[in-house]
C-alpha cells in the first residue's frame, strides 16, 4: 500500500498531486500591474534547476518584507499559492511572496543533500537564496525582513534554509517538518516512497547533537540565528509528532532557550497546545490534538510571529 503525504487541505488527495497547468501562471515579462503568480527566470545561481514564482501585490510597502513559501511533497508553487490565504495578507500588508518549486524527487525538496545542508553549497537551497537576492535587489526589499515557511517536505526545507543560511533569514515557520539534517546521509529519496523513513518516524538526538548539525553547516558563523515557529499535528502518522519535538530540541539549543511554559489557550485554536521557549518571541511550538498531516498553515499567527503584522 502506498503511503501518502497530504496536500494541506487535510483531505487524502495523496502525494501524487495533479499539478496546476502552467497556463495559470503569468510570466514575469507580462508586467506587475495586476497581482497574480508570475514565473521568474534567470534569477541567479541555480544548480538544481529549482523554479521561481513570485507574488507581488499592487501596493508594495516601502522596502517590503519577503516571505519564501515552500510547497509540500508532490505539490507545486501554484498549488501552494492557491491552498491558503497568504496572498491576501500580502495585499493588505505590502510584502512579497516567493513560491519556489522543485520537480525532483516527485516534487520533494532535497533535504538529504549535503549541498543544501551546507552554507554556500550546491543544492536546492542555493537556488532559493538566489531567488531572495533577486527579489531584494529588484524590489528594494528589506534584507532584515526575509522569512521562510513551508509544509511537510517544505517544512523540512524550511529547517534547512534557516540552518544553512542564518545570515539570510530572520525567522521560519515549519508546518509538519523535521529537524535540520534529519535526513542527512540518507541514500533514499526524501519522499514518502523513499527507502529510509527513519527521520520521518521520529529520529531522536540530544539537543546538543542537533545543534551541532546546524553550527557545522556554516562553520565560523557568529551572527544572529533565525527565530523559529514549529507547528505539528499530534495525529500525524506520516511525519510523526516526535519530529516536531526534535525541532524544538534543536532550535532551543541553537538559540540558548529553555521551555518556560505551555498554554492551552493557543491562537492556533483550542486543539493546539502552545509551547513557549523564553518569552515565545524566538521559539514557539504548536501541537494540535487530532491534527493529521499536514498541520494547515495559519497566516495570521505566522505573520505576527514574523513581525510583519
Amino acid at each position: 500500500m502506498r503511503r501518502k503525504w497530504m496536500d494541506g487541505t487535510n483531505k487524502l488527495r495523496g502525494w501524487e498531486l495533479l499539478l496546476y497547468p502552467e497556463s495559470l501562471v503569468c510570466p514575469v515579462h507580462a508586467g506587475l500591474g495586476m497581482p497574480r503568480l508570475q514565473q521568474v527566470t534567470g534569477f541567479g545561481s541555480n544548480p538544481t534547476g529549482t523554479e521561481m514564482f513570485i507574488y507581488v501585490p499592487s501596493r508594495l510597502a516601502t522596502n517590503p518584507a519577503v516571505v519564501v513559501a515552500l510547497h509540500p511533497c508532490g505539490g507545486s508553487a501554484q498549488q501552494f499559492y492557491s491552498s491558503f490565504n497568504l496572498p491576501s495578507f500580502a495585499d493588505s500588508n505590502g510584502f512579497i511572496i516567493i513560491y519556489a518549486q522543485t520537480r525532483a524527487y516527485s516534487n520533494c525538496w532535497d533535504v538529504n543533500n549535503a549541498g543544501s545542508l551546507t552554507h554556500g553549497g550546491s543544492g536546492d537551497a542555493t537556488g532559493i537564496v538566489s531567488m531572495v537576492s533577486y527579489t531584494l535587489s529588484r524590489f528594494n526589499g528589506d534584507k532584515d525582513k526575509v522569512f521562510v515557511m513551508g509544509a511537510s517536505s517544505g517544512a523540512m526545507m524550511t529547517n534547512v534554509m534557516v540552518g544553512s543560511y542564518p545570515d539570510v533569514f530572520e525567522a521560519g515557520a515549519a508546518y509538519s517538518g523535521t529537524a535540520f539534517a534529519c535526513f542527512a546521509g540518507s541514500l533514499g529519496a526524501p519522499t514518502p516512497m523513499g527507502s529510509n523513513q527513519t527521520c520521518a518516524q521520529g529520529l531522536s538526538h540530544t539537543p546538543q547533537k542537533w545543534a551541532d548539525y546546524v553550527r557545522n553547516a556554516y562553520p565560523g558563523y557568529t551572527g544572529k540565528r533565525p527565530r523559529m515557529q514549529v507547528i505539528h499535528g499530534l495525529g500525524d502518522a506520516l511525519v510523526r509528532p516526535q519530529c516536531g519535538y526534535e525541532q524544538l530540541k534543536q532550535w532551543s539549543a541553537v538559540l540558548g532557550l529553555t521551555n518556560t511554559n505551555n498554554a492551552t489557550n493557543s491562537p492556533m485554536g483550542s486543539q493546539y497546545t502552545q509551547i513557549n521557549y523564553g518569552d515565545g518571541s524566538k521559539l514557539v511550538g504548536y501541537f494540535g490534538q487530532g491534527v493529521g498531516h499536514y498541520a494547515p498553515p495559519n497566516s495570521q499567527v505566522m505573520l505576527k510571529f514574523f513581525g510583519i503584522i
Side-chain angles (χ1 to χ4, degrees), residues 112-187:
N112 63 334
N113 183 359
S116 278
L117 294 168
T118 305
H119 186 273
S122 58
D124 289 347
T126 304
I128 294 169
V129 169
S130 293
M131 297 175 198
V132 171
S133 296
Y134 168 92
T135 303
L136 292 174
S137 176
R138 177 164 182 183
F139 299 100
N140 197 27
D142 188 338
K143 65 179 181 60
D144 295 323
K145 293 182 180 179
V146 178
F147 309 92
V148 59
M149 62 81 59
S152 191
S153 178
M156 300 172 190
M157 195 63 182
T158 293
N159 278 272
V160 169
M161 298 311 301
V162 297
S164 291
Y165 293 92
D167 53 335
V168 174
F169 296 97
E170 162 63 23
Y175 293 84
S176 306
T178 58
F180 177 88
C182 186
F183 277 94
S186 174
L187 299 180

Side-chain angles (χ1 to χ4, degrees), residues 177-179 199-203 232 239-247:
T178 58
C199 172
Q201 292 302 300
L203 177 65
H232 218 100
V239 181
R240 299 286 184 178
Q242 187 61 37
C243 296
Y245 294 119
E246 296 299 314
Q247 291 172 74

Side-chain angles (χ1 to χ4, degrees), residues 18-19 30 70 73 76 79 102 107 120 123 127 134 152 155 168 175 184-185 214-215 235 238 255 265 267:
L18 291 174
L19 301 184
L70 303 174
C73 199
S76 69
Q79 171 264 328
T102 178
N107 292 28
Y134 168 92
S152 191
V168 174
Y175 293 84
V214 173
R215 296 187 183 104
L238 184 57
L255 294 167
N265 56 337

Side-chain angles (χ1 to χ4, degrees), residues 12-26:
L12 280 169
R13 289 171 56 185
W15 66 279
E16 294 163 310
L17 297 172
L18 291 174
L19 301 184
Y20 285 73
E22 298 296 339
S23 60
L24 293 179
V25 181
C26 177

